[in-house]
Amino acid sequence: MMTIDILTGFPEIFTGLVNSSILRNAMLADAAEIWVHNLRHYTSDRHGNIDDAPYGGGAGMVLMAQPVWAALDYLSGVREGTPLLIYLSPQGETLKQRRVRDLCGAERLVLLCGHYKDVDGRIFERDVWLEVSVGDYVLSGGEIPAAALADAIVRLLPGVISDPESADSDSFEDGLLDAPYYTRPEEVSGYRVPDAMLTGHHENIRRWRTAQRLSRTKDRRPDLWNAWLASHPDFEEE
């Protein structure tokens, strides 16, 4: 079972996320334990503060090192094994599906959510952290990225999704975007399901979906398309 400990100053953000959908399924399936820790419970500040003004001046506040270290030290005493420490940061590596796959093999993850201008740089001097970004934009804090990362990871764990093949065919799993899908009825307001989907011929359906995946990736994500072509030198477009 994977254990994910999330360190945050705003635990209430995770209340609905952890108790619904995939994250809840993962816990009910005993595939993962997800614990949200309030950093304010670990601070030595008598007012419960976990941030302070930066040395050298400047706008914004900085998350203190002390409550983070206190939380990590506590966890090291109640958990077995060495965790992989992940800091959700816009300065980290951009999260890709291959990284998500790699993280699925970890037994323990600790996710640190920043929520201010930055965190005290000494946090990274004491311990080794993997910094991960969910994109080239800035959010108010790392809570939403941490939830997104946890969701991406646990949905790949055995027993979480009822049909594992569904995850295997998702976008990015093999470098391509996924094909469009349709359900009943066959026609809605004059819009019909493509004929290929109605034939019941599995090979024709597979070929149609493959063609859709290729064309979608080429049109929507030229970067992914070029990378896929580079890894498939024998591919010839029809």
Side-chain angles (χ1 to χ4, degrees), residues 75-134:
L75 291 174
S76 68
V78 298
R79 302 269 193 265
E80 295 183 358
T82 301
L84 175 60
L85 307 180
I86 301 177
Y87 172 49
L88 285 306
S89 165
Q91 300 182 46
E93 69 169 63
T94 302
L95 184 63
K96 303 290 185 183
Q97 190 65 16
R98 62 179 177 272
R99 171 61 80 179
V100 174
R101 283 283 181 186
D102 290 341
L103 294 175
C104 287
E107 293 186 2
R108 284 187 59 202
L109 298 174
V110 174
L111 311 184
L112 174 60
C113 307
H115 203 94
Y116 303 100
K117 180 66 175 177
D118 204 347
V119 301
D120 191 310
R122 288 168 291 189
I123 288 175
F124 308 107
E125 295 177 17
R126 196 192 84 158
D127 301 296
V128 177
W129 292 81
L130 170 65
E131 296 190 45
V132 173
S133 168
V134 294

Side-chain angles (χ1 to χ4, degrees), residues 67-79:
V68 175
W69 286 340
L72 291 177
D73 293 344
Y74 165 78
L75 291 174
S76 68
V78 298
R79 302 269 193 265

Side-chain angles (χ1 to χ4, degrees), residues 6-19 36-41 50 113 115-116 143-144 147:
I6 301 174
L7 309 183
T8 174
F10 301 86
E12 62 276 6
I13 293 177
F14 293 94
T15 301
L17 296 170
V18 172
N19 291 301
V36 180
H37 304 270
N38 189 344
L39 286 173
R40 300 180 194 279
H41 295 164
I50 59 174
C113 307
H115 203 94
Y116 303 100
E143 285 76 17
I144 293 175

Side-chain angles (χ1 to χ4, degrees), residues 149-215:
L149 177 59
D151 184 291
I153 292 171
V154 301
R155 67 188 302 276
L156 298 180
L157 299 177
V160 176
I161 293 181
S162 57
D163 183 1
E165 291 186 4
S166 174
D168 291 339
S169 62
D170 285 341
S171 294
F172 309 116
E173 281 297 337
D174 61 359
L176 296 174
L177 300 181
D178 204 355
Y181 290 86
Y182 304 86
T183 189
R184 296 187 180 92
E186 291 184 14
E187 182 175 333
V188 179
S189 300
Y191 293 89
R192 289 184 51 79
V193 174
D195 292 338
M197 295 292 97
L198 304 175
T199 63
H201 192 291
H202 295 299
E203 178 59 20
N204 286 348
I205 292 173
R206 186 196 66 79
R207 289 170 60 88
W208 185 86
R209 283 178 172 164
T210 298
Q212 289 293 311
R213 299 185 73 211
L214 293 168
S215 63

